[in-house]
Amino acid sequence: MQLPNDYLERVYAGVLGKLIGVYLGRPFEGWTYQKIMEELGPIEYYVHERLNQPLVVTDDDVAGTFTFVRALEDYGIKPDLSAEEIGKAWLNYIVEERAILWWGGNGNSTEHTAWLNLKKGVPAPHSGSIASNGQAVAEQIGAQIFIDGWAMVAPAQPELAARLADQAGKVSHDGESVYAAMLWAAMEAEAFVASDIDHLIDTGLKQIPGDSLIARLIADIRAWHKAHPDWRDTRQKIQDKYGYDKYPGNCHVVPNHALMIMSVLYAPDDFQKAQMIVNTSGWDTDCNAGNVGCLLGIMNGLDGLSEGPDFRGPIADRMLISSADGGNSINDAVRQAYFLANLGMQLAGRPSLEAPKNGAQFHFSLPGSQQGFRPQTGLDATGSVRIGNTEFEGSRALTVDYEALGPSQSAVVTTPTFSPREMLDMRTYDLMATPLLYSGQKLKARVKADERNRGTIETRLRIRVYDERDQLRDIDAAPVVVQPGAEALLEWTLPDTGGQPIAEIGIAITGTGKRADGRLIVDYIRWDGAPNLTLKRPAGDGDFWRMAWVNGASFFSKRFPAAFRIAQNRGEGIIIHGTRQWTDYQASGKVMIHLGNYGGLAVRAQGLRRYYGARVTRDGKMQIVRVRDEDTKVLAETAFNTEFEKHIAMKVKAEGTRITFEADGVSLTAEDTSPDAFRDGGVGLLVHEGALSSNEIRIGAA
C-alpha cells in the first residue's frame, strides 16, 4: 500500500485540527445557535477567557480518541481488530466515575451504559447494541467523536478506516451512530490523498447502507448547499428537519452529523471558516468541531491550519489524555502524531519511523512544534521571551528569543510534565495522571547559542515542583555559560523532591553582563534511567502528591495517618504511579492489610487490568501473578501466614523476564517469557474487597 510522502505531517495536522476544534467548542458545548449569537456572536477564535475557563482541558473527545486506538498496541496491530478487543481496552484504561467518559448514569450516558455492560461481562459488540440498550441510547453521538485515530492509522484506506470505526463504535453504540462514524472515518482516511470534499463524502457513503438515515440526511444537505449560498439558511433547514427536538436522548448523532457535513461543504478549504460555522451552529460543539478540525487538518495539512489566526500558538501542542495509564496523560500532539503514524506504518507492513534524536522525549522535529513549551511567568522570569521552531542541522529545533536580559533577569520556558493547577478549574472530566519524570533520573538538554547573539548568557535546567500549599516552586541545576555561537550539553540528575511531583521542566536563560539579546536553540530535552525516590506524604497539606496516583480504588484519602490508605468495595482496587518508561526497577515498603481477600504491590502496571501482582492472600498464600484483562495467571506461589492489621515488609523486583517477591523474609521468583509478558509500567498498591495501607514506597534500580 502506497503511503503518502507527507503521512507523518498530515497526521500531525489531523491531531492539531482535532485539538483546536475541541478547545474552540468546549466552553459553550450544548448551547443553541440562538444563545451563541446572543451571548458570543460568531465564533471566530477561542472564547475560553470570555467564559472564565482554561483553554487546554480534559475532554472525552480527546481522551477517548487517543486512548481507545491503543487497543492496536495491546492486542496486535492488525486490520481485523475486533470490537471485543477494543472493549477490553475500555476496561483497562477507563477508571470508573473518573476518567474519559461522561458518567451521566445508566440509560442517560451511552458510554456509561456500555461500560456497565462490559463490567458485568457483556462483551462488545453486545455491550453497545440496540438489542441491549435500545435505539435511543445506542444512537447518540459517541461512536462518531472517537473515530479520528482509526482513520489516521489507515491513510488512503477508507474501507479499513470504516471497518475499524465500525468495531470501535459498536463497543458503545449501534445503528445510525455507527454509520456516521464509519462514514467520517472513511472520509478522513481518503483525505490523506484527496482534497475534493464531494469525493470524500462519496467515499464515505460507499461504506454505509444507501437507505440509512445518515445517507438521506447527506443528500438533503447537499441539495440545500446548492440552493443556498449562505450557510445560515442551510443551518435553519437542518434545525427544522433534523433538530434536537426530532430525536430522543441527550445528544443524538443525527443533528450533529448534519452540522459537520454542512460545515465542510461550505468551507472545505478554509479551516477557520469551517470552525466558525460548526461552532456557531451550536449543539455538541466540541465534538463536531473536533471531527471537522481533524478532517480539514489531514486534507489541507499544516499550511491550512496557519492560513487564518494563530490557533496553534495558545495550545502549543498540549493535550491531556486522562486514563488509567497515567504516564500517557500529560501529552502533546507531536508525541501522538508519531504514535499514530507508527501504528499506520506497521498496519501497512512498513517498519516504524526512526525515533528522532535517539529517542529524546522532546525533539521538536515537526514544523512549528513546541511540545508544550511556553514562557514562564513569575518573579525571576522577567525577560521578554518568544518561542518558535526552526530548521536545525537537518531536522528542526525549538527557538527561544530573548531581549534585554540583565544579570538578575531570566527568560524561562517550561513544559508540563504533570497535572497543571488549571485542572482544579476544569469541569465535567477529571484528570487521571502521573508525572512523566522523577527524582534520580538524568535530565539532558542540548542547546546552542546563535552566533549573532549579543552578550554571554548562562543557561540552566529547571524543574517546577508542587510545594506544601500546592503552589509551584522552582529548583534549578547549576548554570552553564554559553558564548555566542557555542553549544552546551546540560545534564542534571534530578534531586529528591520530598515526595512532591515534578510538574514542569524547562530552561532558564540569564544575562551575565549589562545586556543580553538573542536566540537560544534547544535541539532536544530527554531523561533516562530508573527513578530513585521515596513515595510518601510530603510536608504540608497539599493534595497534588496524592493526585499523582491514578486512583482506581473506591476510596483513597489523605486523612488517615498512613500516607496511602485505599479501600475497595467490590472486586479489586488499585492505585498506580509511574510511566511506561519504567522497565527494570524494584519497589519496597511496609504494607498493612486491614481487610481483604488479597493485597500487595503491583509492578509494570499498564492500566487497571494489565500488571504483575505481588500479593499475599487471606487464605495463606503468597503469589506472583500476571493480570491481563479477565485472566489472572499465577506465575509462582508458596505458603504465607497473612495477618490483618500487621505490617508486612514487601519488596518486588522486575528485571528482564524475572519477577522476584519478598514478604517478611519469604522469597518467590517467577519467569515470564510468554508473548503476554509486560516489559514496562508503573508501580501500584492493590487490594481485593477490603482496605490496605502503606506509609511509604521506595523505588530504585533493579
Side-chain angles (χ1 to χ4, degrees):
M1 199 272 301
Q2 188 67 35
L3 288 170
N5 292 331
D6 57 354
Y7 174 42
L8 174 62
E9 284 194 17
R10 284 186 183 270
V11 172
Y12 180 42
V15 174
L16 286 170
K18 174 83 171 182
L19 295 177
I20 292 166
V22 169
Y23 297 150
L24 270 169
R26 175 66 192 282
F28 49 91
E29 177 185 10
W31 290 23
T32 63
Y33 167 76
Q34 290 77 16
K35 182 176 180 180
I36 290 169
M37 290 300 294
E38 289 171 4
E39 298 191 23
L40 298 171
I43 306 300
E44 304 282 359
Y45 197 61
Y46 300 116
V47 299
H48 62 287
E49 291 182 342
R50 292 165 64 183
L51 297 173
N52 196 30
Q53 295 181 27
L55 175 61
V56 177
V57 295
T58 49
D59 190 273
D60 58 339
D61 301 70
V62 174
T65 298
F66 298 105
T67 295
F68 301 151
V69 73
R70 297 183 70 185
L72 282 167
E73 179 184 40
D74 293 341
Y75 299 101
I77 301 172
K78 56 191 180 184
D80 59 346
L81 185 74
S82 69
E84 184 174 359
E85 289 169 320
I86 301 169
K88 290 179 179 180
W90 275 49
L91 290 175
N92 183 56
Y93 292 117
I94 295 176
V95 183
E96 182 178 8
E97 302 282 0
R98 299 187 182 114
I100 299 183
L101 307 181
W102 172 52
W103 298 94
N106 194 8
N108 290 334
S109 162
T110 301
E111 293 82 6
H112 192 172
T113 305
W115 183 90
L116 289 169
N117 289 337
L118 291 167
K119 189 71 173 177
K120 64 186 180 185
V122 178
H126 305 294
S127 53
S129 69
I130 289 174
S132 295
N133 303 328
Q135 184 172 0
V137 171
E139 290 191 337
Q140 301 301 301
I141 196 174
Q144 178 175 274
I145 70 177
F146 299 138
I147 56 86
D148 306 284
W150 306 109
M152 287 188 277
V153 302
Q157 300 178 81
E159 295 86 1
L160 175 58
R163 189 207 167 277
L164 292 170
D166 170 65
Q167 293 298 296
K170 285 179 176 175
V171 174
S172 50
H173 292 73
D174 201 354
E176 298 294 336
S177 181
V178 173
Y179 296 151
M182 294 171 66
L183 180 137
W184 202 263
M187 288 175 61
E188 289 186 351
E190 186 72 1
F192 279 96
V193 292
S195 57
D196 180 85
I197 200 66
D198 281 304
H199 168 70
L200 298 188
I201 293 172
D202 289 339
T203 300
L205 286 168
K206 290 177 182 177
Q207 309 302 320
I208 67 173
D211 61 351
S212 64
L213 179 56
I214 292 295
R216 299 198 305 272
L217 170 155
I218 290 172
D220 280 344
I221 296 171
R222 280 176 145 174
W224 296 333
H225 169 247
K226 289 180 180 179
H228 302 288
D230 192 328
W231 66 269
R232 295 169 184 82
D233 295 324
T234 296
R235 190 215 65 79
Q236 187 62 52
K237 293 281 189 183
I238 290 171
Q239 181 174 319
D240 293 344
K241 185 169 182 179
Y242 296 108
Y244 266 25
D245 59 315
K246 308 299 189 299
Y247 301 95
N250 296 288
C251 191
H252 202 277
V253 68
V254 166
N256 292 291
H257 190 80
L259 295 181
M260 289 162 49
I261 294 293
M262 176 189 73
S263 299
V264 297
L265 281 172
Y266 278 93
D269 302 317
D270 189 330
F271 182 86
Q272 184 196 20
K273 183 179 179 182
Q275 287 295 320
M276 182 275 292
I277 293 172
V278 76
N279 277 297
T280 307
S281 295
W283 294 334
D284 199 351
T285 47
D286 58 338
C287 300
N288 301 339
N291 285 135
V292 168
C294 185
L295 174 66
L296 295 188
I298 294 168
M299 186 171 77
N300 300 323
L302 293 172
D303 290 342
L305 298 181
S306 304
E307 288 178 352
D310 179 20
F311 285 120
R312 293 180 62 182
I315 294 174
D317 294 322
R318 291 172 294 155
M319 59 194 303
L320 302 172
I321 308 176
S322 180
S323 83
D325 186 1
N328 195 57
S329 297
I330 309 303
N331 220 301
D332 65 73
V334 175
R335 180 175 164 190
Q336 277 305 296
Y338 271 89
F339 174 70
L340 293 170
N342 276 324
L343 289 176
M345 296 287 285
Q346 294 174 69
L347 268 174
R350 306 290 185 82
S352 297
L353 299 167
E354 182 178 350
K357 302 177 184 178
N358 200 30
Q361 287 86 350
F362 297 117
H363 49 79
F364 318 109
S365 59
L366 293 178
S369 61
Q370 295 179 213
Q371 293 196 260
F373 278 86
R374 295 174 297 156
Q376 177 188 330
T377 58
L379 292 177
D380 86 327
T382 53
S384 172
V385 187
R386 295 187 308 278
I387 295 176
N389 183 285
T390 190
E391 294 183 356
F392 181 67
E393 297 181 352
S395 181
R396 304 194 70 86
L398 191 75
T399 58
V400 183
D401 293 330
Y402 53 90
E403 294 179 6
L405 291 183
S408 61
Q409 293 180 310
S410 295
V412 185
V413 295
T414 64
T415 190
T417 54
F418 178 53
S419 301
R421 279 192 52 79
E422 299 96 271
M423 71 168 289
L424 301 176
D425 299 321
M426 295 179 192
R427 57 183 175 87
T428 308
Y429 301 101
D430 290 344
L431 176 58
M432 294 281 106
T434 62
L436 298 183
L437 76 167
Y438 298 84
S439 300
Q441 294 183 307
K442 178 167 281 190
L443 186 63
K444 297 181 183 179
R446 180 181 177 234
V447 299
K448 184 175 182 179
D450 193 289
E451 60 186 15
R452 295 164 293 184
N453 286 358
R454 172 185 176 181
T456 301
I457 57 172
E458 289 183 342
T459 64
R460 60 193 184 277
L461 291 167
R462 166 170 292 182
I463 59 174
R464 308 195 75 205
V465 178
Y466 282 111
D467 66 13
E468 65 275 6
R469 298 181 303 278
D470 282 342
Q471 302 296 320
L472 291 173
R473 64 183 178 94
D474 301 334
I475 303 176
D476 288 351
V480 175
V481 175
V482 185
Q483 302 284 352
E487 68 173 70
L489 181 64
L490 311 179
E491 298 184 89
W492 188 23
T493 299
L494 294 174
D496 179 26
T497 61
Q500 290 282 13
I502 299 171
E504 298 178 9
I505 62 171
I507 293 177
I509 305 164
T510 305
T512 61
K514 292 183 179 179
R515 174 173 175 146
D517 305 278
R519 167 175 288 184
L520 185 72
I521 297 170
V522 183
D523 184 26
Y524 67 80
I525 301 177
R526 68 176 301 141
W527 57 92
D528 299 281
N532 183 7
L533 74 157
T534 300
L535 300 168
K536 61 182 181 180
R537 184 200 310 274
D541 194 40
D543 207 39
F544 273 99
W545 65 272
R546 188 180 62 88
M547 292 189 287
W549 291 72
V550 168
N551 181 9
S554 302
F555 179 88
F556 177 23
S557 172
K558 68 175 185 178
R559 299 303 178 191
F560 278 78
F564 310 107
R565 178 153 180 159
I566 62 174
Q568 184 67 13
N569 300 333
R570 298 181 308 279
E572 181 180 276
I574 187 171
I575 60 172
I576 304 169
H577 190 85
T579 78
R580 295 284 294 267
Q581 189 181 343
W582 293 17
T583 54
D584 291 356
Y585 63 94
Q586 64 179 14
S588 61
K590 292 182 178 179
V591 175
M592 180 181 290
I593 301 173
H594 306 278
L595 180 66
N597 296 315
Y598 59 76
L601 299 172
V603 292
R604 292 183 177 168
Q606 300 177 357
L608 303 180
R609 307 206 315 167
R610 297 173 65 88
Y611 65 83
Y612 292 112
R615 66 193 198 184
V616 297
T617 72
R618 186 173 190 167
D619 60 357
K621 296 174 184 175
M622 174 178 169
Q623 298 173 326
I624 298 174
V625 301
R626 183 186 66 230
V627 175
R628 189 176 192 270
D629 301 323
E630 66 277 0
D631 177 49
T632 298
K633 181 175 178 59
V634 178
L635 302 177
E637 183 178 82
T638 191
F640 185 84
N641 182 27
T642 304
E643 298 181 48
F644 293 158
E645 301 294 342
K646 176 183 177 296
H647 281 117
I648 303 170
M650 294 187 177
K651 181 168 74 172
V652 58
K653 180 190 298 185
E655 188 172 18
T657 60
R658 176 172 293 186
I659 310 295
T660 59
F661 177 30
E662 296 180 18
D664 281 350
V666 181
S667 298
L668 203 56
T669 301
E671 292 275 353
D672 189 5
T673 59
S674 72
D676 294 335
F678 304 128
R679 306 300 180 197
D680 48 51
V683 68
L685 285 166
L686 58 94
V687 68
H688 187 275
E689 296 186 358
L692 172 146
S693 66
S694 181
N695 211 39
E696 62 178 36
I697 302 294
R698 296 175 294 280
I699 309 294

PDB file of all heavy atoms in Angstrom, residues 187-202:
ATOM      1  N   MET A 187     -13.951   9.185   5.226  1.00  0.00           N
ATOM      2  CA  MET A 187     -13.619  10.497   4.669  1.00  0.00           C
ATOM      3  C   MET A 187     -12.233  10.941   5.119  1.00  0.00           C
ATOM      4  O   MET A 187     -11.427  11.430   4.309  1.00  0.00           O
ATOM      5  CB  MET A 187     -14.668  11.525   5.103  1.00  0.00           C
ATOM      6  CG  MET A 187     -16.026  11.370   4.436  1.00  0.00           C
ATOM      7  SD  MET A 187     -17.255  12.539   5.097  1.00  0.00           S
ATOM      8  CE  MET A 187     -16.522  14.126   4.682  1.00  0.00           C
ATOM      9  N   GLU A 188     -11.944  10.791   6.398  1.00  0.00           N
ATOM     10  CA  GLU A 188     -10.634  11.215   6.902  1.00  0.00           C
ATOM     11  C   GLU A 188      -9.508  10.386   6.296  1.00  0.00           C
ATOM     12  O   GLU A 188      -8.435  10.916   5.970  1.00  0.00           O
ATOM     13  CB  GLU A 188     -10.608  11.129   8.422  1.00  0.00           C
ATOM     14  CG  GLU A 188     -11.451  12.192   9.098  1.00  0.00           C
ATOM     15  CD  GLU A 188     -11.316  12.209  10.606  1.00  0.00           C
ATOM     16  OE1 GLU A 188     -10.690  11.285  11.177  1.00  0.00           O
ATOM     17  OE2 GLU A 188     -11.832  13.156  11.226  1.00  0.00           O
ATOM     18  N   ALA A 189      -9.710   9.079   6.152  1.00  0.00           N
ATOM     19  CA  ALA A 189      -8.674   8.239   5.553  1.00  0.00           C
ATOM     20  C   ALA A 189      -8.409   8.649   4.112  1.00  0.00           C
ATOM     21  O   ALA A 189      -7.254   8.722   3.667  1.00  0.00           O
ATOM     22  CB  ALA A 189      -9.089   6.767   5.629  1.00  0.00           C
ATOM     23  N   GLU A 190      -9.468   8.926   3.366  1.00  0.00           N
ATOM     24  CA  GLU A 190      -9.315   9.331   1.971  1.00  0.00           C
ATOM     25  C   GLU A 190      -8.710  10.726   1.860  1.00  0.00           C
ATOM     26  O   GLU A 190      -8.059  11.064   0.855  1.00  0.00           O
ATOM     27  CB  GLU A 190     -10.670   9.272   1.273  1.00  0.00           C
ATOM     28  CG  GLU A 190     -10.630   9.522  -0.226  1.00  0.00           C
ATOM     29  CD  GLU A 190     -10.031   8.377  -1.026  1.00  0.00           C
ATOM     30  OE1 GLU A 190      -9.647   7.348  -0.422  1.00  0.00           O
ATOM     31  OE2 GLU A 190      -9.939   8.502  -2.262  1.00  0.00           O
ATOM     32  N   ALA A 191      -8.884  11.552   2.899  1.00  0.00           N
ATOM     33  CA  ALA A 191      -8.363  12.921   2.873  1.00  0.00           C
ATOM     34  C   ALA A 191      -6.842  12.968   2.841  1.00  0.00           C
ATOM     35  O   ALA A 191      -6.264  14.013   2.523  1.00  0.00           O
ATOM     36  CB  ALA A 191      -8.887  13.700   4.081  1.00  0.00           C
ATOM     37  N   PHE A 192      -6.177  11.870   3.140  1.00  0.00           N
ATOM     38  CA  PHE A 192      -4.715  11.836   3.031  1.00  0.00           C
ATOM     39  C   PHE A 192      -4.260  11.951   1.573  1.00  0.00           C
ATOM     40  O   PHE A 192      -3.125  12.364   1.307  1.00  0.00           O
ATOM     41  CB  PHE A 192      -4.165  10.541   3.639  1.00  0.00           C
ATOM     42  CG  PHE A 192      -4.042  10.570   5.127  1.00  0.00           C
ATOM     43  CD1 PHE A 192      -5.046  10.041   5.935  1.00  0.00           C
ATOM     44  CD2 PHE A 192      -2.932  11.125   5.745  1.00  0.00           C
ATOM     45  CE1 PHE A 192      -4.933  10.059   7.318  1.00  0.00           C
ATOM     46  CE2 PHE A 192      -2.807  11.158   7.125  1.00  0.00           C
ATOM     47  CZ  PHE A 192      -3.816  10.616   7.915  1.00  0.00           C
ATOM     48  N   VAL A 193      -5.118  11.577   0.617  1.00  0.00           N
ATOM     49  CA  VAL A 193      -4.703  11.551  -0.787  1.00  0.00           C
ATOM     50  C   VAL A 193      -5.668  12.286  -1.706  1.00  0.00           C
ATOM     51  O   VAL A 193      -5.477  12.295  -2.924  1.00  0.00           O
ATOM     52  CB  VAL A 193      -4.540  10.094  -1.279  1.00  0.00           C
ATOM     53  CG1 VAL A 193      -3.346   9.441  -0.593  1.00  0.00           C
ATOM     54  CG2 VAL A 193      -5.810   9.270  -1.035  1.00  0.00           C
ATOM     55  N   ALA A 194      -6.718  12.876  -1.172  1.00  0.00           N
ATOM     56  CA  ALA A 194      -7.696  13.579  -1.998  1.00  0.00           C
ATOM     57  C   ALA A 194      -8.191  14.808  -1.258  1.00  0.00           C
ATOM     58  O   ALA A 194      -8.267  14.810  -0.024  1.00  0.00           O
ATOM     59  CB  ALA A 194      -8.873  12.668  -2.347  1.00  0.00           C
ATOM     60  N   SER A 195      -8.539  15.856  -2.019  1.00  0.00           N
ATOM     61  CA  SER A 195      -8.964  17.102  -1.381  1.00  0.00           C
ATOM     62  C   SER A 195     -10.281  17.634  -1.932  1.00  0.00           C
ATOM     63  O   SER A 195     -10.663  18.758  -1.607  1.00  0.00           O
ATOM     64  CB  SER A 195      -7.878  18.175  -1.540  1.00  0.00           C
ATOM     65  OG  SER A 195      -7.582  18.386  -2.915  1.00  0.00           O
ATOM     66  N   ASP A 196     -10.974  16.847  -2.755  1.00  0.00           N
ATOM     67  CA  ASP A 196     -12.292  17.243  -3.220  1.00  0.00           C
ATOM     68  C   ASP A 196     -13.339  16.760  -2.218  1.00  0.00           C
ATOM     69  O   ASP A 196     -13.492  15.563  -1.998  1.00  0.00           O
ATOM     70  CB  ASP A 196     -12.570  16.650  -4.603  1.00  0.00           C
ATOM     71  CG  ASP A 196     -13.944  17.036  -5.113  1.00  0.00           C
ATOM     72  OD1 ASP A 196     -14.074  18.122  -5.697  1.00  0.00           O
ATOM     73  OD2 ASP A 196     -14.889  16.242  -4.890  1.00  0.00           O
ATOM     74  N   ILE A 197     -14.042  17.694  -1.605  1.00  0.00           N
ATOM     75  CA  ILE A 197     -14.919  17.321  -0.495  1.00  0.00           C
ATOM     76  C   ILE A 197     -16.062  16.428  -0.958  1.00  0.00           C
ATOM     77  O   ILE A 197     -16.504  15.527  -0.227  1.00  0.00           O
ATOM     78  CB  ILE A 197     -15.435  18.575   0.247  1.00  0.00           C
ATOM     79  CG1 ILE A 197     -15.921  18.194   1.664  1.00  0.00           C
ATOM     80  CG2 ILE A 197     -16.526  19.270  -0.541  1.00  0.00           C
ATOM     81  CD1 ILE A 197     -14.832  17.723   2.579  1.00  0.00           C
ATOM     82  N   ASP A 198     -16.554  16.631  -2.172  1.00  0.00           N
ATOM     83  CA  ASP A 198     -17.626  15.761  -2.663  1.00  0.00           C
ATOM     84  C   ASP A 198     -17.123  14.336  -2.874  1.00  0.00           C
ATOM     85  O   ASP A 198     -17.840  13.369  -2.594  1.00  0.00           O
ATOM     86  CB  ASP A 198     -18.220  16.321  -3.953  1.00  0.00           C
ATOM     87  CG  ASP A 198     -19.191  17.463  -3.695  1.00  0.00           C
ATOM     88  OD1 ASP A 198     -20.156  17.249  -2.933  1.00  0.00           O
ATOM     89  OD2 ASP A 198     -18.982  18.561  -4.226  1.00  0.00           O
ATOM     90  N   HIS A 199     -15.892  14.218  -3.339  1.00  0.00           N
ATOM     91  CA  HIS A 199     -15.309  12.879  -3.472  1.00  0.00           C
ATOM     92  C   HIS A 199     -15.170  12.213  -2.105  1.00  0.00           C
ATOM     93  O   HIS A 199     -15.453  11.017  -1.950  1.00  0.00           O
ATOM     94  CB  HIS A 199     -13.935  12.972  -4.149  1.00  0.00           C
ATOM     95  CG  HIS A 199     -13.144  11.703  -4.080  1.00  0.00           C
ATOM     96  ND1 HIS A 199     -13.486  10.561  -4.778  1.00  0.00           N
ATOM     97  CD2 HIS A 199     -12.030  11.380  -3.355  1.00  0.00           C
ATOM     98  CE1 HIS A 199     -12.625   9.598  -4.506  1.00  0.00           C
ATOM     99  NE2 HIS A 199     -11.731  10.064  -3.644  1.00  0.00           N
ATOM    100  N   LEU A 200     -14.758  12.976  -1.101  1.00  0.00           N
ATOM    101  CA  LEU A 200     -14.621  12.400   0.242  1.00  0.00           C
ATOM    102  C   LEU A 200     -15.978  11.934   0.767  1.00  0.00           C
ATOM    103  O   LEU A 200     -16.086  10.853   1.360  1.00  0.00           O
ATOM    104  CB  LEU A 200     -14.009  13.419   1.205  1.00  0.00           C
ATOM    105  CG  LEU A 200     -12.592  13.916   0.902  1.00  0.00           C
ATOM    106  CD1 LEU A 200     -12.082  14.762   2.065  1.00  0.00           C
ATOM    107  CD2 LEU A 200     -11.635  12.770   0.634  1.00  0.00           C
ATOM    108  N   ILE A 201     -17.005  12.736   0.566  1.00  0.00           N
ATOM    109  CA  ILE A 201     -18.338  12.346   1.038  1.00  0.00           C
ATOM    110  C   ILE A 201     -18.813  11.103   0.298  1.00  0.00           C
ATOM    111  O   ILE A 201     -19.367  10.168   0.905  1.00  0.00           O
ATOM    112  CB  ILE A 201     -19.328  13.511   0.882  1.00  0.00           C
ATOM    113  CG1 ILE A 201     -18.944  14.660   1.832  1.00  0.00           C
ATOM    114  CG2 ILE A 201     -20.758  13.052   1.166  1.00  0.00           C
ATOM    115  CD1 ILE A 201     -19.751  15.932   1.622  1.00  0.00           C
ATOM    116  N   ASP A 202     -18.603  11.066  -1.014  1.00  0.00           N
ATOM    117  CA  ASP A 202     -18.994   9.877  -1.782  1.00  0.00           C
ATOM    118  C   ASP A 202     -18.239   8.641  -1.309  1.00  0.00           C
ATOM    119  O   ASP A 202     -18.809   7.538  -1.238  1.00  0.00           O
ATOM    120  CB  ASP A 202     -18.732  10.102  -3.273  1.00  0.00           C
ATOM    121  CG  ASP A 202     -19.696  11.108  -3.895  1.00  0.00           C
ATOM    122  OD1 ASP A 202     -20.778  11.326  -3.311  1.00  0.00           O
ATOM    123  OD2 ASP A 202     -19.352  11.671  -4.950  1.00  0.00           O
TER     124      ASP A 202
END
